[in-house]
Amino acid sequence: MKDFSAAAGWFRKAAQQNDAEAQFNLGACYQNGEGVAKDYAEAAKWFRRAAEQNYADAQLSLGGCHYLGQGAAKDHVEAYAWISLAAGTVKDAAAKRDGLAKAMSPEQIFDGSKRMRELRAQIAAKLKSSGK
């Protein structure tokens, strides 16, 4: 049996030191209730921290949180934006984005693309200012 509680503890220590992979993994622990109580808001919080460091898996997961309304406001435009950021890196992200687009109006897709560009610029500026 895997000791998810110990893993979650180690992920938390590294996540608090701004390690994006650990933040993503801690978010996954909260999303799945592994080693910690299931808490979608905590999952989304940690996914966002990693996503804002340009961690693509976290961008996809945060998009999923917005798509489902789990721990984040249900918002297809925001979901589309985050999933689009991940689409160049994460396998299947483009297919998920394209599937989501089928349920969106052309205006929503336009707004999602615009939001994605804004997020990309914010992330780039944040990474530049932190020296990453």
Side-chain angles (χ1 to χ4, degrees):
M1 182 176 156
K2 295 180 182 175
D3 188 351
F4 288 113
S5 181
W10 286 110
F11 291 145
R12 179 177 307 286
K13 286 178 190 273
Q16 290 170 336
Q17 297 299 312
N18 224 26
D19 181 289
E21 184 175 7
Q23 291 168 338
F24 167 73
N25 286 325
L26 184 58
C29 288
Y30 277 108
Q31 187 176 49
N32 300 315
E34 294 175 333
V36 294
K38 187 178 281 195
D39 185 333
Y40 293 125
E42 273 298 295
K45 176 183 97 173
W46 289 108
F47 288 151
R48 180 173 302 280
R49 288 188 181 180
E52 289 175 347
Q53 294 187 69
N54 209 30
Y55 195 82
D57 287 320
Q59 293 168 340
L60 178 60
S61 294
L62 182 59
C65 291
H66 280 289
Y67 175 73
L68 297 169
Q70 291 182 334
K74 187 169 186 166
D75 183 338
H76 286 181
V77 170
E78 193 73 4
Y80 184 90
W82 283 108
I83 293 169
S84 293
L85 283 173
T89 308
V90 179
K91 183 180 179 187
D92 299 329
K96 289 181 181 189
R97 178 203 55 214
D98 295 346
L100 174 56
K102 290 178 183 173
M104 296 170 67
S105 71
E107 293 81 13
Q108 288 175 309
I109 294 168
F110 177 83
D111 290 346
S113 296
K114 180 180 174 189
R115 176 69 175 138
M116 183 265 305
R117 290 189 298 276
E118 291 169 357
L119 289 169
R120 183 182 291 144
Q122 289 170 2
I123 291 166
K126 187 175 182 180
L127 292 176
K128 185 177 180 182
S129 70
S130 69
K132 291 187 177 182

